[in-house]
Amino acid sequence: NRYTRSLILNLKEVVIMKNISSLEQIEEVLESAGYETIRNNEGVVMKIGGKSIPFTSVFTIDKGQNQVIINCQIARMGDIKEEEMSNVLFTLLDYNTMIRPYAFAIISATEDPDLDDEEKWPIVLTDSLPLGDLSDQEILASVESLWSALSVVPVLLKASVIC
């Protein structure tokens, strides 16, 4: 029937990939799933979330650790009111148990020497995937988990934890 023929044609367009080890392959997997990406020498950038104000996620490869790192910025340290800082950090730490495999983290000057101003330090959701036998399904499962993790961000914003 026409529905089955359409389904078969759509399945032919799906990219099935194993042993992913390059940014080019990551970009291909994300684009085949319908995400818009931009690739540069350092990583693959993907917008995720709402169309009007999407979050920026970056996929990079850490060859030393042999893994893909996914970071999605949700705010900067300067976005947090000084008097709320300890409460915010405690809340983010507490939420880490609910958003696995992602975790909230702060990218500081330790990870990026160009970030000498603490107010510019990004607050991110982060995940890592080991290279070697990495498949397209594992990358897409991580993106799905990122969507779930991002669902708590509006709760944090609404609670005025992050201004």
Side-chain angles (χ1 to χ4, degrees):
N1 74 30
R2 198 166 66 198
Y3 174 75
T4 304
R5 186 176 31 229
S6 174
L7 182 61
I8 290 169
L9 289 174
N10 287 336
L11 287 176
K12 287 181 181 178
E13 294 175 16
V14 173
V15 175
I16 298 174
M17 212 180 287
K18 299 213 180 274
N19 297 322
I20 294 170
S21 61
S22 71
L23 294 174
E24 293 83 7
Q25 291 171 312
I26 292 169
E27 180 181 39
E28 187 177 343
V29 168
L30 295 171
E31 287 182 350
S32 74
Y35 293 100
E36 292 181 23
T37 64
I38 298 171
R39 180 171 43 92
N40 58 35
N41 291 337
E42 296 178 22
V44 176
V45 177
M46 176 185 81
K47 300 290 184 178
I48 188 168
K51 293 264 184 205
S52 60
I53 308 175
F55 294 98
T56 300
S57 17
V58 181
F59 293 70
T60 57
I61 294 179
D62 181 336
K63 292 187 188 284
Q65 298 290 322
N66 200 35
Q67 59 188 355
V68 174
I69 307 293
I70 303 119
N71 287 321
C72 181
Q73 183 174 325
I74 61 159
R76 293 191 179 272
M77 289 293 284
D79 297 336
I80 303 169
K81 297 175 187 171
E82 186 66 38
E83 62 273 8
E84 292 290 324
M85 187 66 71
S86 62
N87 183 42
V88 169
L89 297 179
F90 179 81
T91 302
L92 294 177
L93 187 60
D94 184 44
Y95 269 87
N96 278 344
T97 60
M98 295 182 264
I99 61 170
R100 291 183 195 130
Y102 277 83
F104 286 107
I106 298 168
I107 298 178
S108 68
T110 305
E111 290 89 7
D112 185 348
D114 293 335
L115 294 173
D116 54 358
D117 180 1
E118 287 183 24
E119 290 203 356
K120 293 182 181 177
W121 291 358
I123 299 171
V124 299
L125 283 162
T126 188
D127 187 19
S128 61
L129 302 169
L131 291 172
D133 192 24
L134 182 61
S135 73
D136 56 339
Q137 293 305 306
E138 290 170 295
I139 289 174
L140 296 176
S142 180
V143 171
E144 187 67 30
S145 294
L146 177 56
W147 275 102
S148 296
L150 283 170
S151 70
V152 304
V153 172
V155 174
L156 293 172
L157 294 172
K158 192 172 185 176
S160 297
V161 172
I162 299 174
C163 45

